């Protein structure tokens, strides 16, 4: 019996940076790939089983978190991040053949792309109106619509212009930050966690249980006291009422690490509605610095020491530090 092919969805249409991120996944080039017009639709396809996983953008080095993804993954039926991918970002300005930069009065692209090219646009096409697009590729392909289009040019990835003969490139490398990188995550339904690699990341959503002085500090202390570094923390409104927020957090380490498991348990005690979104290998393969007293061995030794106390056995103590004995 032939194997059922893996089905992926991604923020489309074809030619987006999101598809480029998906193609970094082993086997994705030969899998079924279904474009989705927005992040919510992509994640819903995973939830209803019509796709095995979805690749969506979650963070940009210039603009920070992608709010549509942060909000969509924090609510609804639970999902898991199982992989991340990093894609260097560059942009081109495209239009129909015959259009010149001087003719442009309006430009369409995705909001994050516009934010990364705004200064270039203001300097080279002052006064041009921004028309939001569902994606950079969708904005570019919209220029080819025979029914007419309500903007003059689009900002997109170079590959879109290369693959569409009906588009002409008016300007290249128009990003305000030439080193821009976008981080994407592959999201699936809950299952067995990816094996820890030693260079991992854990993502959680923590609602603020009570709006009072020190409430956020209690959340952060669960990581700090266990030697867990945070690589990203962002607040997002829950939508329930004004002033009610949750925190989206990326922490260095895997749920199988003793320090991370202890931190997650602490978070759940403080905020029982904490949502675990996954532990997965870092795309940059950078291992965290782990202090000796927060290593797995240190946690195991500490638990064994406490168990010895509870069992009534004699428990030995490590000799005092040299400085203490000679003081």
């Amino acid at each position: 019996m032939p194997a059922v092919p893996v089905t992926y969805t991604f923020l489309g249409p074809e030619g987006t940076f999101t598809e480029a991120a998906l193609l970094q996944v082993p086997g994705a080039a030969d899998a079924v790939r279904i474009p989705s017009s927005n992040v919510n639709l992509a994640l819903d396809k995973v939830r209803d089983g019509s796709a095995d996983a979805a690749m969506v953008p979650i963070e940009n080095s210039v603009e920070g978190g992608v709010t549509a993804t942060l909000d969509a993954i924090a609510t609804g039926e639970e999902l898991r991040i199982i992989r991340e991918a990093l894609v260097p970002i560059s942009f081109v300005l495209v239009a129909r053949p015959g259009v010149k930069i001087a003719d442009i009065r309006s430009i369409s692209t995705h909001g994050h792309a516009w934010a990364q090219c705004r200064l270039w646009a203001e300097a080279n096409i002052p006064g041009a109106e921004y028309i939001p697009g569902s994606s950079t590729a969708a904005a570019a392909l919209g220029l080819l619509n025979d029914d007419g289009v309500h903007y003059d040019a689009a900002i997109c990835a170079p590959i879109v212009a290369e693959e569409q003969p009906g588009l002409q490139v008016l300007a290249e490398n128009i990003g305000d930050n030439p080193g821009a990188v976008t981080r994407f995550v592959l999201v699936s339904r809950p299952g067995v966690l990816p094996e820890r690699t030693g260079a991992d990341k854990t993502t959680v959503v923590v609602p603020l249980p009570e709006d009072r002085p020190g409430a956020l500090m209690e959340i952060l202390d669960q990581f700090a006291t266990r030697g867990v570094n945070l690589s990203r923390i962002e607040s997002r409104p829950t939508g329930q009422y004004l002033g009610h927020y949750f925190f989206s957090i990326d922490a260095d380490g895997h749920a199988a690490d003793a320090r991370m498991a202890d931190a997650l348990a602490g978070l759940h005690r403080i905020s029982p509605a904490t949502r675990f979104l996954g532990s997965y290998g870092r795309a940059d393969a950078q291992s965290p610095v782990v202090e000796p007293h927060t290593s797995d061995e240190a946690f195991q030794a500490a638990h064994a020491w406490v168990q010895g106390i509870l069992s009534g056995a004699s428990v030995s103590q490590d000799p005092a530090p040299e400085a203490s004995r000679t003081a």
Side-chain angles (χ1 to χ4, degrees), residues 21-284:
L22 177 58
L23 291 174
Q24 293 184 24
V25 177
D30 300 320
V32 177
R33 302 193 303 278
I34 304 173
S36 292
S37 59
N38 59 65
V39 170
N40 281 284
L41 183 58
L43 297 182
D44 284 344
K45 287 177 180 176
V46 177
R47 289 183 171 112
D48 67 21
S50 57
D52 296 297
M55 184 68 81
V56 291
I58 195 170
E59 183 183 10
N60 179 267
S61 60
V62 176
E63 283 296 292
V66 179
T67 56
T69 300
L70 296 178
D71 294 346
I73 202 172
T75 57
E77 186 179 340
E78 284 198 27
L79 296 168
R80 291 283 186 273
I81 299 172
I82 58 174
R83 186 185 182 95
E84 69 174 11
L86 304 177
V87 177
I89 304 298
S90 64
F91 298 102
V92 296
L93 180 72
V94 298
R96 285 173 174 264
V99 174
K100 298 181 176 60
I101 287 184
D103 302 327
I104 297 174
R105 298 292 179 269
S106 57
I107 303 172
S108 181
T109 191
H110 187 270
H112 270 249
W114 179 250
Q116 295 177 66
C117 301
R118 186 186 298 119
L119 296 180
W120 183 93
E122 291 175 353
N124 294 273
I125 317 175
E129 180 187 4
Y130 164 55
I131 308 296
S134 60
S135 71
T136 56
L141 296 177
L143 293 169
L144 305 178
N145 191 337
D146 292 333
D147 296 332
V149 64
H150 57 289
Y151 50 89
D152 305 313
I155 293 172
C156 65
I159 190 173
V160 177
E162 293 169 4
E163 295 180 349
Q164 297 296 329
L167 297 173
Q168 66 166 337
V169 176
L170 299 180
E172 298 179 319
N173 297 316
I174 64 173
D176 301 327
N177 186 334
V181 175
T182 294
R183 174 177 161 237
F184 299 83
V185 289
L186 187 64
V187 182
S188 70
R189 292 180 292 280
V192 178
L193 297 182
E195 293 288 336
R196 59 176 174 174
T197 67
D200 303 291
K201 186 178 293 182
T202 292
T203 300
V204 291
V205 169
V206 187
L208 193 64
E210 187 179 358
D211 187 11
R212 57 175 173 76
L216 175 58
M217 183 62 70
E218 287 186 0
I219 292 173
L220 299 180
D221 278 348
Q222 303 310 308
F223 298 104
T225 58
R226 295 166 176 86
V228 176
N229 182 59
L230 304 185
S231 56
R232 181 186 61 86
I233 177 169
E234 299 183 59
S235 63
R236 293 293 303 153
T238 63
Q240 295 181 8
Y241 53 83
L242 189 64
H244 195 236
Y245 288 84
F246 68 80
F247 293 91
S248 178
I249 299 172
D250 288 336
D252 292 344
H254 193 284
D257 298 334
R259 65 186 186 283
M260 182 66 75
D262 215 44
L264 292 174
L267 287 176
H268 191 269
R269 288 196 302 271
I270 293 173
S271 180
T274 293
R275 173 171 288 200
F276 174 78
L277 291 181
S279 290
Y280 46 93
R282 291 176 60 111
D284 58 13

